[in-house]
Amino acid sequence: MSRTDIRTDNILRQRPPVTAPALSPMMQRVARQAAESRLATPRRPLPPVTGQTPPQQPQEADTGLMGALRAPLMSPRGQAISQAALAGLEAGGYTTMPTTLGQAIGKMGQAALRGYGAGTQAQAAQRKATLDEYKIMADIAEKQAKAGQAFGGTGMTSQSFNVLLKIGEKIANGTATDPERKKYALAYGYLSKPREQKTYDKDGNETITTMPAQDLSQFPTPVNGEVPALDSTTKPSKVTIEKNKFIKSMDSMALNLNKYRQALKDLTRIDMVSGTAEFPTDNMASASAIAEGLRLNLKELYELGALVGGDFQILDNLLTSPNSAKAVKMGGSALTIQLDQLEDILSQKLGEKDATLSGTFGTPIPVANKEEYAKIKSGQYVLLPNGTILYKRKR
């Protein structure tokens, strides 16, 4: 036998036998419970060959160690587990004094008991706060019932119903005071009117829903019909706003067409020459200003969609500036003919949009008597019973 074999044999003889560490009584109970739970849990059957999913077994309530670990953090069990874990971490830290496992487990147990007690107290305090809130609400409802206020809340609808319930009997037997009658009438009028409810979608489109009025047939009507008239404001829609703009633009166009027609009648060749020489007469200055107003009217109708690009260009070309060299060559009668063409094309294009000019030379307003003539605005053309077209001037 070599020296190496002898030394190895001696080492093996001197090594103490390896034994399993002894478990504490608490850890033995935990291991025993885990083994019993494993034996008591039935094994799930294997899925059939067809691939169908077997029906799931109903889950049992969490109990034992795993149930405690799954408990909510703020519950008594959750507080116990968390405090015990923190105490264990603290006991496992560095220390100059040796600490046994039993001491660490003892500290963890004490911390768990304190955490469980604190969690129980917190739950009790929360239940008490909820009960106190319910009691306060019940007391308020009882006081409202005694005071004739069956509807809670501070909204106008709730308060109005409470007024009707409280003063309605006095109104019926005629014992209500003057302030009570006025108060009752105000509440009755508010509830008897339909209400509008506005809602908005994700794109910001507004929808207005009219809610029906409250059924007040079981309440007496106010004395002498003292229901106040509620002020209401109607917000015009975008379509209505555009329609109003279109109507105003049409009226302005018609008046400017008539003014320009009258201005061309008074325009002489000398007035036109003065415009080209940049020394315009009063007649030329007035005609030029009216012509620019007509251009603005055409542009506005184009922006409102009554005219398309090609129509706007044609109409603008028919509106020759009266203070230009071209107008001097044409003369006032030629400018009037251009104006007739402009009015005819404009009437045709507006007719395609279901709109008509009114009160112009081409579309005079028929009148049958002096009363109808008096209602005509100044600056419009009228059609008399004898077929004469007359321009109504300002007085």
Side-chain angles (χ1 to χ4, degrees):
M1 182 179 297
S2 64
R3 293 181 179 180
T4 304
D5 296 336
I6 295 173
R7 190 164 49 250
T8 304
D9 186 61
N10 292 333
I11 292 174
L12 292 176
R13 289 194 187 98
Q14 294 176 2
R15 179 179 298 174
V18 179
T19 58
L23 297 177
S24 63
M26 179 179 178
M27 297 303 296
Q28 290 177 5
R29 288 196 300 270
V30 171
R32 187 167 55 254
Q33 290 178 0
E36 293 175 356
S37 175
R38 215 168 29 244
L39 293 174
T41 303
R43 295 184 178 179
R44 295 184 180 178
L46 294 175
V49 180
T50 56
Q52 297 180 356
T53 303
Q56 297 182 357
Q57 298 294 331
Q59 297 182 356
E60 298 180 356
D62 289 334
T63 58
L65 180 61
M66 298 306 296
L69 293 176
R70 294 192 187 99
L73 181 61
M74 300 308 296
S75 66
R77 289 198 297 172
Q79 285 292 304
I81 293 296
S82 61
Q83 294 299 325
L86 293 175
L89 291 174
E90 183 179 0
Y94 175 79
T95 177
T96 58
M97 295 295 294
T99 303
T100 63
L101 177 61
Q103 289 177 317
I105 293 176
K107 290 182 179 180
M108 292 173 62
Q110 292 177 359
L113 292 175
R114 289 194 299 269
Y116 189 86
T120 304
Q121 292 178 0
Q123 275 191 346
Q126 185 177 4
R127 286 195 297 268
K128 185 178 181 302
T130 303
L131 292 175
D132 291 342
E133 183 178 358
Y134 287 158
K135 186 176 182 302
I136 292 173
M137 295 173 61
D139 292 341
I140 293 174
E142 183 179 359
K143 290 179 181 179
Q144 288 179 341
K146 291 181 179 179
Q149 297 181 356
F151 295 87
T154 58
M156 187 66 177
T157 302
S158 299
Q159 295 301 316
S160 298
F161 270 119
N162 289 330
V163 169
L164 265 60
L165 291 172
K166 185 177 181 180
I167 310 178
E169 186 175 354
K170 295 182 179 181
I171 296 294
N173 56 32
T175 59
T177 62
D178 184 63
E180 287 177 336
R181 288 200 306 270
K182 293 181 179 179
K183 189 175 182 180
Y184 184 88
L186 180 63
Y188 191 96
Y190 173 80
L191 295 174
S192 62
K193 300 293 183 181
R195 294 177 294 107
E196 288 187 350
Q197 182 178 1
K198 296 181 180 180
T199 56
Y200 301 88
D201 60 13
K202 62 180 181 179
D203 298 327
N205 297 318
E206 181 183 66
T207 300
I208 301 177
T209 305
T210 302
M211 309 297 292
Q214 300 289 343
D215 182 13
L216 304 178
S217 57
Q218 66 273 28
F219 295 102
T221 56
V223 180
N224 300 326
E226 295 177 350
V227 179
L230 301 179
D231 295 334
S232 60
T233 303
T234 302
K235 180 183 177 181
S237 63
K238 184 178 180 180
V239 176
T240 303
I241 294 175
E242 295 295 332
K243 183 178 180 180
N244 292 337
K245 288 183 179 179
F246 183 72
I247 293 175
K248 290 181 180 180
S249 181
M250 291 274 292
D251 293 341
S252 178
M253 170 65 76
L255 292 176
N256 282 334
L257 283 172
N258 297 340
K259 289 180 182 179
Y260 192 52
R261 186 179 297 275
Q262 295 299 316
L264 291 178
K265 289 182 179 180
D266 300 332
L267 204 62
T268 63
R269 185 80 62 175
I270 297 176
D271 294 326
M272 295 181 182
V273 173
S274 68
T276 57
E278 298 184 356
F279 292 99
T281 60
D282 292 343
N283 290 339
M284 174 54 66
S286 177
S288 298
I290 298 173
E292 291 302 319
L294 277 175
R295 283 193 172 87
L296 291 177
N297 291 138
L298 291 174
K299 183 178 179 181
E300 189 174 12
L301 289 175
Y302 168 71
E303 292 175 350
L304 291 174
L307 301 174
V308 296
D311 299 335
F312 172 76
Q313 192 63 41
I314 293 173
L315 294 174
D316 186 66
N317 292 335
L318 289 175
L319 194 60
T320 302
S321 179
N323 59 354
S324 63
K326 181 179 179 180
V328 174
K329 297 178 181 179
M330 294 174 59
S333 59
L335 293 178
T336 302
I337 294 174
Q338 268 193 343
L339 184 61
D340 292 337
Q341 294 176 348
L342 186 149
E343 186 176 335
D344 291 341
I345 297 175
L346 182 61
S347 298
Q348 178 184 356
K349 295 301 178 182
L350 292 177
E352 296 174 358
K353 302 291 184 179
D354 295 330
T356 56
L357 287 173
S358 179
T360 64
F361 183 79
T363 59
I365 302 174
V367 295
N369 47 51
K370 294 182 179 180
E371 288 77 12
E372 293 180 356
Y373 180 81
K375 298 178 182 179
I376 301 299
K377 296 179 182 179
S378 298
Q380 291 183 322
Y381 281 92
V382 296
L383 180 62
L384 299 179
N386 59 2
T388 303
I389 298 177
L390 181 64
Y391 178 73
K392 186 175 182 179
R393 299 180 180 274
K394 292 182 179 180
R395 293 182 179 179

